[in-house]
Structure formats: structure tokens, C-alpha cells
Amino acid sequence: MNLQFFMPTKIIMGDDCVIKNAEILKKLGKKPLIVTGSRSAVLNGSLKDVTKALTENGQEYAVYDKVMSNPTIDCVYEGAELAKSENADFIIAIGGGSPMDAAKAIALLASQDIKREKLFSGEYEEKVLPMVFIPTTAGTGSEVTQYSILTNDAAKTKTTVAAPFLFPDVSFLDSKYMESLSKTTTINTAVDALSHSVEGYLSNRSNVLTDALALEGISIIAEEFENLKNFTLTREDRSKLLYASTLGGIVIAHTGTTAVHSMGYSLTYFKDIDHGRANGLLITEFLKLVEKEKPERIKTLLTAMKLKDLAELEKIIMELLGEKEKLTEEEIMEFASIAIKAKNIANCIVIPTEEDLIHIYKTVFDL
Ligand code: NAP
Ligand code: FE
């Protein structure tokens, strides 16, 4: 058996885990830059918990709260400038995937000079500020990945900054922060988490350990389909979704994502469709393509979800996501031509052609 597994992030999950483990923040540095979005961290209490823990430790802090959804290159350079001018010696990210991804790039750019044209090159010194992550959505798994996904206008898509030393040092998982999530964001992020484990399970970089974690994540999310649809999630259900999304993150940290994510980036970049929703719209058609060559792998996924076939999965996902957006033929051709160039296309056990991508977009969007 061949196996490699690397997960350097310390994961601490539980009620009030930030406050209960405040001393960890003291060990990481003198003064953090807190990186977050504009509103939600105030509303869900996560920012208050962090600032209380820091104040009790006698630590100063600065806040960069300008991270938008699908963070831009300008945003991460601005955040890094603030980290430097405030002499921050570590980073605390609070929020969904957007602030968490931005925080990794900020931690990198605050510790070394990287020209904009080299940002996605992977040519970095192994130097980064220590990072503490606090997810407030249960979806991206960014709290346990080495990826920072940024809007890349030059390539008209989203591109990943990745390096093995970009894993956060510590991630605090407290599902109480998710109780303020809207139904739409809860569903979209849960579908993103599902997509990570499904794509990881179908990756040619998967191994026995990532498969085990992927199937566990998939079955937990499937058990919550009904609660997601009716929006009847208890705190316990939210904890399960958070746990499953972290499992999905650990999976893709090893396997990468596949064509679903590359195709989804075009939907987000050009049509402003939420990241998780974009993946959800595309995933079943992609699974149908894989099923033709690897039916046994798809059967195992369906068994983990207690479903009989992909048609049943499609019905559930479409009930969760509601009415689809409209695309033109011209848009589909452009989106497919961009998606086929993404690195993660090569990760799947069935590598799609550009024609396959066109077929998937057309089938999903009824063209
Ligand atoms: P997001 O863009 O981080 O946040 C979406 C919205 O939810 C924002 O308006 C945010 O408000 C709000 N929000 C966050 N937490 C909330 C809470 N607890 N209560 C109420 N509202 C809350 O969404 P996301 O789906 O988590 O992240 C998507 C990003 O992650 C994309 O850029 C995607 O490419 C990336 N991603 C990264 C990885 C990875 O491995 N690194 C994997 C998958 C996806 P505020 O702006 O006010 O905070
Ligand atoms: Fe994702």
C-alpha cells in the first residue's frame, strides 16, 4: 500500500474553543492582524470572542475587515501592507472561505516581497506569518488547506496560490458562529463541502486515508440533506456540517479538486454565482461522465449517501439549489475554453475533454 498524508494544522473543535484556548494565541506572537469580512464576524460573535481572548492575554491587535467574497489581488496586497505597517507578527482569519483564503495570501505577502506577476508562480521563499483560522461557514475547508484562491482578472478565472507551508497553524471550529448563516449560504457552503469530498474521492491523487475521510464527510452531509432543505438544522446538525466540511478540506489538501471546481470558477467569475452553488449545479452531470468509465467508484459514493442512483442525487441537489441561471451558447464556449486550462482538470480519474465540458454546461443549463 502506498500512502502519504500531511496535515500540519492543529484542529480544536468545541463550544467556546477560542476563549477556552486563548493561551494558544499568546504563543503565536505579540500582535495579530485579524483578517475578516465586513459584517458577519461582528454579527456572529466570532470577532468578539477573539478580541476578548487577545485582551485577556494583554495582546494588542489590528483589524483588516475589507475582504469581499471571491477576494481580489488588490485586497491581499492591501491587507499585507496593513500587516506590515502595524508590525503584526501573526494572522487571525475569521470568516468564510473568502477571508480565510485572503488571510493566507496576506500572511505570505507580509513576510516576503512577491511581485504581482509572480503571485501564482509558486516561487516563494518558505516564509510566512503564523496563522490561526476560525471558519464561520461550513463549506470551503480552507481552515485545513494550503490553498488561497483569488480572483485572477488576467486569466478571467479564479487561481490558486498554493504552498505546503500555507497550512494554518491552528484552526478553531465552533459551530455557534454558523447559527446566523442564511438558508442560502448554509446550503451553498454544504454543497461545496460535499463537492470537495466527492471530487477528492474521484481524484487520481486519492489514497486509502483520503477515501475514508471523503466517504465519512459525504455520508454526514447526505444525512443532513433533509434538514438543509427544510432549514431545520439544530446546533448539533451545524456541528456535523462543520466537521464534514473540515474533512472535505483535509481531503482536497491531498487530492486537489477536479473539473467541477474549474468549471464552477467560470460561473462565479462571469455570472457571480456563489462558489458552492456553482459546484452543485455542475456536479451530477460530471458524475454521470465519470460513471461511464468508473461505475464502481460512483456506486460507492451513492452507497455512502444511501441513494440508489445519480438521478436521485440530482433531484435532491436541484431541490436544494432552486431555479437555475441562464447561459448562452457563446458563454458556454468561453467558459469551457477557460476551464479546460485549469490545473485541476488533470486530477480526475476520468480526465474530461473540452467537448465533455461543453456537454456538461449545455446539459446543466438546458441548451
Ligand atoms: P464567503 O465568500 O467567505 O462568505 C459569503 C457570505 O457569507 C459573505 O457575505 C459573508 O459575510 C457571509 N458570512 C460568513 N459567515 C457568516 C455567518 N456565520 N453568518 C452570516 N453570514 C456569514 O463564502 P464561502 O462560501 O465560505 O467561501 C467562498 C470562497 O472560498 C471562494 O472564494 C472560494 O473560491 C473559496 N474556497 C476555498 C477553498 C480552499 O481550499 N481554500 C475551497 C473551496 C472554496 P461577510 O463578508 O460580512 O463576512
Ligand atoms: Fe470549493
Side-chain angles (χ1 to χ4, degrees), residues 139-141 149 192-193 195-196 199 252 257 261 265 275-276 279:
T140 68
I149 301 167
D192 188 28
S195 194
H196 295 156
E199 289 175 69
I252 59 167
T257 54
H261 267 66
Y265 292 151
H275 172 70
N279 296 331

Side-chain angles (χ1 to χ4, degrees), residues 68-257:
M68 66 297 279
S69 282
N70 307 302
T72 59
I73 294 173
D74 284 348
C75 163
V76 296
Y77 276 91
E78 183 179 74
E81 279 313 309
L82 185 64
K84 286 192 257 183
S85 67
E86 291 284 346
N87 292 319
D89 56 1
F90 70 110
I91 299 287
I92 301 180
I94 307 175
S98 298
M100 290 194 285
D101 281 6
K104 289 176 202 166
I106 290 171
L108 180 71
L109 293 167
S111 59
Q112 57 190 285
D113 289 327
I114 301 171
K115 291 208 168 69
R116 284 177 183 238
E117 55 276 21
K118 289 278 186 187
L119 184 58
F120 299 113
S121 68
E123 294 162 22
Y124 322 121
E125 284 176 66
E126 203 173 320
K127 260 189 352 196
V128 67
L129 297 185
M131 292 180 266
V132 177
F133 273 39
I134 302 161
T136 66
T137 62
T140 68
S142 181
E143 69 277 7
V144 287
T145 71
Q146 70 282 45
Y147 310 130
S148 163
I149 301 167
L150 303 175
T151 298
N152 179 1
D153 288 321
K156 291 190 180 168
T157 186
K158 301 187 69 180
T159 307
T160 305
V161 173
F165 57 91
L166 282 183
F167 283 97
D169 296 81
V170 183
S171 285
F172 289 113
L173 312 184
D174 189 341
S175 61
K176 79 176 175 199
Y177 303 136
M178 281 80 188
E179 290 190 306
S180 55
L181 282 168
S182 67
K183 180 177 178 185
T184 307
T185 308
T186 303
I187 288 175
N188 290 348
T189 47
V191 170
D192 188 28
L194 177 70
S195 194
H196 295 156
S197 283
V198 167
E199 289 175 69
Y201 188 72
L202 300 176
S203 169
N204 49 27
R205 294 160 56 191
S206 74
N207 62 48
V208 284
L209 204 38
T210 61
D211 281 355
L213 299 180
L215 292 175
E216 166 84 346
I218 288 162
S219 73
I220 292 171
I221 296 169
E223 278 168 19
E224 297 297 336
F225 279 156
E226 203 57 27
N227 282 323
L228 283 164
K229 188 173 91 181
N230 302 322
F231 205 44
T232 46
L233 296 160
T234 62
R235 186 65 192 282
E236 186 56 26
D237 295 315
R238 291 228 178 250
S239 292
K240 286 183 187 168
L241 288 172
L242 176 56
Y243 170 58
S245 69
T246 299
L247 290 180
I250 297 172
V251 170
I252 59 167
H254 294 85
T255 63
T257 54

Side-chain angles (χ1 to χ4, degrees), residues 147 240 299 357 365:
Y147 310 130
K240 286 183 187 168
K299 182 93 193 107
L357 303 191
F365 293 98

Side-chain angles (χ1 to χ4, degrees), residues 185-354:
T185 308
T186 303
I187 288 175
N188 290 348
T189 47
V191 170
D192 188 28
L194 177 70
S195 194
H196 295 156
S197 283
V198 167
E199 289 175 69
Y201 188 72
L202 300 176
S203 169
N204 49 27
R205 294 160 56 191
S206 74
N207 62 48
V208 284
L209 204 38
T210 61
D211 281 355
L213 299 180
L215 292 175
E216 166 84 346
I218 288 162
S219 73
I220 292 171
I221 296 169
E223 278 168 19
E224 297 297 336
F225 279 156
E226 203 57 27
N227 282 323
L228 283 164
K229 188 173 91 181
N230 302 322
F231 205 44
T232 46
L233 296 160
T234 62
R235 186 65 192 282
E236 186 56 26
D237 295 315
R238 291 228 178 250
S239 292
K240 286 183 187 168
L241 288 172
L242 176 56
Y243 170 58
S245 69
T246 299
L247 290 180
I250 297 172
V251 170
I252 59 167
H254 294 85
T255 63
T257 54
T258 66
V260 177
H261 267 66
S262 7
M263 295 176 77
Y265 292 151
S266 286
L267 298 181
T268 301
Y269 186 85
F270 290 99
K271 307 292 282 187
D272 204 23
I273 297 176
D274 271 4
H275 172 70
R277 177 179 174 81
N279 296 331
L281 291 169
L282 299 161
I283 196 164
T284 327
E285 263 335 295
F286 183 69
L287 295 183
K288 287 183 198 164
L289 180 91
V290 178
E291 191 180 35
K292 286 186 204 153
E293 286 182 44
K294 302 279 180 190
E296 67 297 339
R297 221 56 197 159
I298 299 295
K299 182 93 193 107
T300 314
L301 284 181
L302 289 165
T303 306
M305 290 188 269
K306 300 197 176 78
L307 301 177
K308 65 176 190 308
D309 54 25
L310 288 176
E312 205 181 340
L313 176 65
E314 186 164 29
K315 184 166 174 284
I316 292 169
I317 291 190
M318 284 311 146
E319 272 173 7
L320 289 175
L321 298 182
E323 204 184 327
K324 293 174 199 169
E325 291 76 0
K326 301 249 178 295
L327 296 193
T328 64
E329 170 122 23
E330 219 177 19
E331 285 174 325
I332 286 178
M333 303 313 275
E334 183 176 18
F335 296 179
S337 76
I338 293 172
I340 197 71
K341 296 191 194 94
K343 275 195 198 141
N344 44 6
I345 287 285
N347 287 341
C348 189
I349 47 172
V350 175
I351 297 175
T353 62
E354 189 167 342

